[in-house]
Amino acid sequence: MSTNAKPFQPNFHLNPKKHWLEIQTIDLHTCGQPLRVISNGLPTLKGNNVLAFRKDFQIRFDHYRKVLIHEPRGHKDMYGCALTPPNDSKAKFGVVFFHNQGYSTMCGHAIIALTTLAYQLHWISNKNQNTLYIDAPCGRIKSWPIIESDELAGTGFLGVPSFVLKLDSELDILELGKIKFDIAYGGAFYVYVDLTKNSLNINLETTEIQEICNLGMKIKKAVMASSIEIKHPFVKDLSFLYGTIFYAPSKNPMIYSKNVCVFANGQIDRSPTGSGIMGRLALLHKRNEIQINQAIKVESILGTTFTGMIKNELTYGPNQAIMPSISGNAYITGKHTFCINPKDPFPNGFELG
């Protein structure tokens, strides 16, 4: 049967009203973990360093975080960041990290994604300016593209001094019994739970993600409620427990271990967690289980991997610390323009559960 009907040619040009809030982003993922980078629409932040910019963002523009992270524009496990001026001229830019609960101090998957973005957008090149310096809340991060056959094969970064806060600790937790754990810092503080030393009935598989989340949050809250003091040697704003990391042997003999991080308000990291591996390297060094410059692969819940190694040892305040290096892959997934109509019943998004 033939028809003379003309094909529908819709006009998708959107011209938001002046009183609408409009935010543009570039989205990426690192080993499956999302990153939403604000590219336009954020007003100028006040301050003279990244911690001050972070504070100003939190006070005046937290609704931007909620718009981009919460439903219906985001989801419970979305992660985002905003670029800021650097602390001084030696860095390219600063960064404020945010998630469903608030703001974090370090994010390895975001550093890998931002370095990928910097290379793809020609902020740096593989010829004359292949090193990027980023001012994160936890300190200055050096990162670089990894080039193979003139193609981007990944990115790497040198982290911040990472150290062990508590080794071989034990806590009696309601409904769980005695849990053995360590606490280490890798730009953020994490509780590390070795599943081979505990009788927790979980496997680090996607089918058990809700149980992993529930256990991770229960352990995190129990440690926070205990007498254990989470204290950074220099910066008060960094002195808090960020998440719980479960780890166990990988089924792949070429991979050192598998780990899953539960952080913020019950978010599950899809990547192997860069800052978490930084702290894990400090633990491995403390136990003499890894050598300087020995590369190890750590697997995520999705089977994706980061490579980590210890570059050197150093003294960091009262702590014996290590300088970790992490590498991995990130990919651009899209560009977005979010429009928030003031009549929208959810201008700041919403959370379920």
Side-chain angles (χ1 to χ4, degrees):
M1 187 173 97
S2 62
T3 176
N4 293 322
K6 293 182 179 180
F8 176 52
Q9 296 180 327
N11 173 20
F12 283 113
H13 177 70
L14 179 65
N15 185 22
K17 306 296 183 181
K18 289 183 178 180
H19 58 283
W20 288 19
L21 177 63
E22 185 175 329
I23 309 170
Q24 294 177 339
T25 71
I26 296 180
D27 283 21
L28 305 94
H29 82 83
T30 306
C31 291
Q33 178 70 359
L35 181 70
R36 178 160 286 166
V37 185
I38 297 177
S39 58
N40 195 26
L42 179 67
T44 301
L45 296 173
K46 297 178 181 178
N48 55 11
N49 59 55
V50 169
L51 285 174
F53 294 135
R54 179 172 174 259
K55 189 60 143 180
D56 187 48
F57 191 111
Q58 185 177 10
I59 293 172
R60 295 198 296 144
F61 302 113
D62 193 54
H63 56 289
Y64 279 70
R65 175 187 68 84
K66 293 176 180 178
V67 162
L68 298 176
I69 298 298
H70 293 168
E71 296 185 59
R73 300 164 189 89
H75 55 81
K76 182 180 179 181
D77 295 289
M78 179 55 71
Y79 198 97
C81 73
L83 304 189
T84 75
N87 292 347
D88 58 50
S89 61
K90 295 179 181 179
K92 189 77 171 180
F93 54 81
V95 59
V96 173
F97 306 117
F98 48 85
H99 45 69
N100 69 7
Q101 188 179 43
Y103 301 82
S104 56
T105 56
M106 173 58 185
C107 181
H109 97 271
I111 294 294
I112 289 171
L114 287 171
T115 307
T116 300
L117 188 64
Y119 182 83
Q120 299 285 10
L121 298 183
H122 307 293
W123 302 348
I124 56 174
S125 71
N126 64 331
K127 294 180 179 179
N128 54 15
Q129 190 190 3
N130 61 356
T131 301
L132 188 67
Y133 290 94
I134 302 171
D135 282 328
C138 63
R140 180 160 292 168
I141 309 296
K142 176 184 178 181
S143 67
W144 55 87
I146 299 170
I147 307 300
E148 295 178 2
S149 302
D150 293 326
E151 295 288 336
L152 183 66
T155 65
F157 69 87
L158 186 66
V160 294
S162 302
F163 58 88
V164 175
L165 183 70
K166 292 287 182 181
L167 194 67
D168 297 323
S169 295
E170 192 173 84
L171 198 61
D172 201 342
I173 301 176
L174 185 65
E175 298 179 352
L176 300 182
K178 289 184 178 180
I179 300 296
K180 298 177 181 179
F181 61 90
D182 307 306
I183 300 177
Y185 174 84
F189 286 99
Y190 294 95
V191 176
Y192 292 82
V193 180
D194 183 349
L195 293 184
T196 66
K197 295 181 180 180
N198 289 278
S199 58
L200 295 170
N201 188 27
I202 58 168
N203 294 307
L204 301 181
E205 305 294 340
T206 55
T207 53
E208 299 191 34
I209 198 161
Q210 192 57 56
E211 184 64 17
I212 293 169
C213 182
N214 292 340
L215 285 173
M217 290 302 293
K218 187 171 289 188
I219 293 170
K220 174 185 172 180
K221 290 176 180 178
V223 173
M224 290 173 64
S226 74
S227 60
I228 297 173
E229 184 179 21
I230 308 296
K231 186 176 181 181
H232 188 273
F234 300 112
V235 185
K236 183 179 179 181
D237 283 353
L238 308 181
S239 299
F240 65 95
L241 186 62
Y242 188 42
T244 302
I245 293 179
F246 298 104
Y247 65 93
S250 171
K251 296 177 182 177
N252 185 339
M254 303 301 293
I255 293 174
Y256 192 86
S257 72
K258 184 173 187 175
N259 74 272
V260 178
C261 177
V262 182
F263 68 99
N265 187 22
Q267 288 192 235
I268 298 284
D269 196 337
R270 274 71 171 154
S271 83
T273 311
S275 56
I277 296 176
M278 288 161 62
R280 178 82 187 286
L281 289 169
L283 285 166
L284 291 171
H285 180 262
K286 188 78 171 180
R287 291 194 168 104
N288 296 314
E289 295 178 1
I290 190 173
Q291 304 299 314
I292 304 295
N293 292 321
Q294 177 186 345
I296 63 169
K297 285 187 179 295
V298 179
E299 182 182 19
S300 75
I301 196 167
L302 297 177
T304 53
T305 61
F306 284 165
T307 299
M309 70 171 65
I310 299 170
K311 300 303 292 183
N312 60 275
E313 305 166 285
L314 72 159
T315 300
Y316 188 63
N319 306 290
Q320 291 303 305
I322 57 104
M323 283 297 293
S325 175
I326 308 292
S327 61
N329 295 85
Y331 305 89
I332 296 172
T333 59
K335 298 170 66 176
H336 303 273
T337 299
F338 294 96
C339 302
I340 297 88
N341 185 333
K343 294 182 180 180
D344 187 327
F346 306 110
N348 292 332
F350 59 86
E351 291 183 279
L352 289 180

